[in-house]
């Protein structure tokens, strides 16, 4: 399994997921189809599948066009999300494969949108798994609660995604990392791992490189929204309940002008 970033729009990422045995490929959130087709050509792969994380236009807005450009392409999307161009609706726990060795598990991760899906992808034995989290989990952040509650985001982040194997590579929908880390330091100013990751992320961006992927392990160490079960973090934001702490951190982030 190989994964490639395809920067789109101002700060979005689409991702090409390749099964190396069959040269079959899937693309996550192909908002700019021409770029995706070009990348597929460069890598010499046959694009068979679209994985849509949620219905927002900057993620699903290229689906109709890519269906015109690649006749017969399958478009997966959450059953509750009314995804443009969707041919295959998925629910939590649905499984399918790409090529011979890439297996996909659909995880319902609602809150940003009510039908948001994160795709957990495994390859051959010995390869790290990956999860494509759209706008639910960002590096050091999470999506705005447009269509859900703090309870739902807690379930999505801390239970569904937080229980994935720690080496799982996290590929999210936007390059928001530096801002997210700067905000996270307002919540946990003495978190050394956070300070180190910020310095690394700033270097990456200055070099014109992505800050993605992260890992589930790194997120549990540095992402305040995934650390709300920790009593020391709850204390820092003045609550002793993880869901209330999550709500408070999201409120602060919404009002933060960094």
């Amino acid at each position: 399994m190989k994964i490639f970033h395809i920067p789109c729009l101002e700060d979005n990422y689409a991702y090409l997921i390749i099964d190396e045995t069959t040269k079959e490929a899937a693309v996550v959130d192909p908002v700019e189809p021409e770029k995706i087709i070009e990348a597929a050509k460069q890598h010499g792969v046959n694009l068979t599948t679209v994985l849509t994380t949620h219905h927002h236009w900057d993620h699903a807005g290229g689906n109709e066009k890519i269906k015109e450009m690649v006749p017969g392409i399958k478009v997966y999307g959450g059953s509750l999300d009314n995804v443009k161009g969707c041919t295959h609706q998925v629910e939590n726990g649905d499984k399918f494969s790409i090529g011979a060795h890439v297996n996909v598990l659909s995880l319902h991760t609602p809150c940003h949108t009510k039908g948001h899906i994160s795709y957990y992808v495994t390859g051959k034995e010995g390869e790290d798994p990956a999860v494509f989290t759209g706008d639910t989990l960002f590096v050091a952040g999470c999506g705005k609660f447009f269509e859900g509650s703090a309870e739902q985001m807690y379930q999505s982040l801390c239970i569904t995604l937080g229980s994935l194997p720690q080496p799982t590579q996290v590929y999210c929908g936007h390059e928001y990392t530096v801002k997210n880390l700067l905000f996270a330091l307002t919540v946990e100013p003495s978190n050394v791992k956070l300070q180190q990751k910020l310095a690394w992320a700033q270097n990456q961006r200055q070099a014109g490189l992505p800050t993605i992927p992260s890992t589930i392990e790194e997120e549990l160490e540095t992402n305040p929204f995934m650390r709300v079960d920790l009593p020391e973090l709850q204390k820092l934001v003045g609550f002793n309940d993880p869901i209330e702490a999550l709500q408070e951190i999201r409120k602060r982030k919404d009002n933060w002008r960094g």
Side-chain angles (χ1 to χ4, degrees), residues 36-78:
I36 310 311
I37 305 289
E38 184 53 41
K41 271 190 194 148
Q42 279 175 4
H43 294 290
V45 296
N46 175 27
L47 203 53
T48 62
T49 309
V50 170
L51 307 180
T52 313
T53 59
H54 63 296
H55 70 77
H56 290 157
W57 77 269
D58 59 325
H59 297 264
N63 287 357
E64 296 288 12
K65 181 80 183 283
I66 208 165
K67 282 169 80 178
E68 286 170 23
M69 295 172 81
V70 186
I73 196 166
K74 291 180 283 207
V75 178
Y76 289 85

Side-chain angles (χ1 to χ4, degrees), residues 65-91:
K65 181 80 183 283
I66 208 165
K67 282 169 80 178
E68 286 170 23
M69 295 172 81
V70 186
I73 196 166
K74 291 180 283 207
V75 178
Y76 289 85
S79 63
L80 299 175
D81 231 27
N82 195 20
V83 165
K84 262 209 174 117
C86 184
T87 63
H88 291 64
Q89 292 193 338
V90 291
E91 296 182 16

Side-chain angles (χ1 to χ4, degrees), residues 9-252:
L9 308 175
E10 278 183 33
D11 54 32
N12 279 68
Y13 286 118
Y15 299 101
L16 200 59
I17 308 167
I18 299 171
D19 174 60
E20 292 167 278
T21 309
T22 61
K23 292 289 186 189
E24 265 189 49
V27 60
V28 180
D29 292 347
V31 64
E32 293 192 73
E34 295 83 358
K35 281 188 181 177
I36 310 311
I37 305 289
E38 184 53 41
K41 271 190 194 148
Q42 279 175 4
H43 294 290
V45 296
N46 175 27
L47 203 53
T48 62
T49 309
V50 170
L51 307 180
T52 313
T53 59
H54 63 296
H55 70 77
H56 290 157
W57 77 269
D58 59 325
H59 297 264
N63 287 357
E64 296 288 12
K65 181 80 183 283
I66 208 165
K67 282 169 80 178
E68 286 170 23
M69 295 172 81
V70 186
I73 196 166
K74 291 180 283 207
V75 178
Y76 289 85
S79 63
L80 299 175
D81 231 27
N82 195 20
V83 165
K84 262 209 174 117
C86 184
T87 63
H88 291 64
Q89 292 193 338
V90 291
E91 296 182 16
N92 190 59
D94 284 354
K95 295 176 180 177
F96 52 95
S97 57
I98 298 143
H101 296 292
V102 175
N103 294 300
V104 183
L105 170 64
S106 308
L107 300 173
H108 184 214
T109 51
C111 181
H112 185 70
T113 67
K114 66 178 184 289
H116 194 296
I117 298 286
S118 296
Y119 296 94
Y120 178 67
V121 182
T122 52
K124 288 181 179 172
E125 209 174 320
E127 292 182 326
D128 283 334
V131 66
F132 296 86
T133 58
D135 288 3
T136 292
L137 168 62
F138 294 122
V139 181
C142 72
K144 290 186 175 177
F145 300 1
F146 287 136
E147 297 180 18
S149 62
E151 284 89 344
Q152 281 181 313
M153 190 56 94
Y154 176 76
Q155 174 77 38
S156 293
L157 289 181
C158 301
I159 297 172
T160 304
L161 296 172
S163 62
L164 294 175
Q166 295 217 350
T168 303
Q169 308 274 301
V170 174
Y171 291 91
C172 58
H174 294 268
E175 182 58 73
Y176 291 163
T177 304
V178 169
K179 275 195 164 167
N180 285 348
L181 288 163
L182 286 166
F183 170 75
L185 279 166
T186 70
V187 179
E188 279 192 287
S190 58
N191 182 330
V192 175
K193 290 256 164 76
L194 254 180
Q195 296 161 6
Q196 291 167 343
K197 184 135 189 186
L198 175 61
W200 172 83
Q202 286 169 327
N203 284 337
Q204 288 290 104
R205 295 311 291 151
Q206 280 159 11
L209 296 169
T211 60
I212 292 154
S214 181
T215 64
I216 292 294
E217 180 177 23
E218 284 180 43
E219 293 312 299
L220 291 169
E221 291 172 342
T222 57
N223 187 329
F225 298 98
M226 286 189 82
R227 290 169 59 76
V228 292
D229 281 312
L230 298 171
E232 60 269 32
L233 189 125
Q234 293 173 11
K235 199 172 164 190
L236 286 170
V237 295
F239 290 93
N240 57 5
D241 172 83
I243 292 165
E244 287 179 351
L246 184 65
Q247 180 91 54
E248 170 64 19
I249 298 168
R250 183 67 256 177
K251 195 172 87 184
R252 290 187 189 184

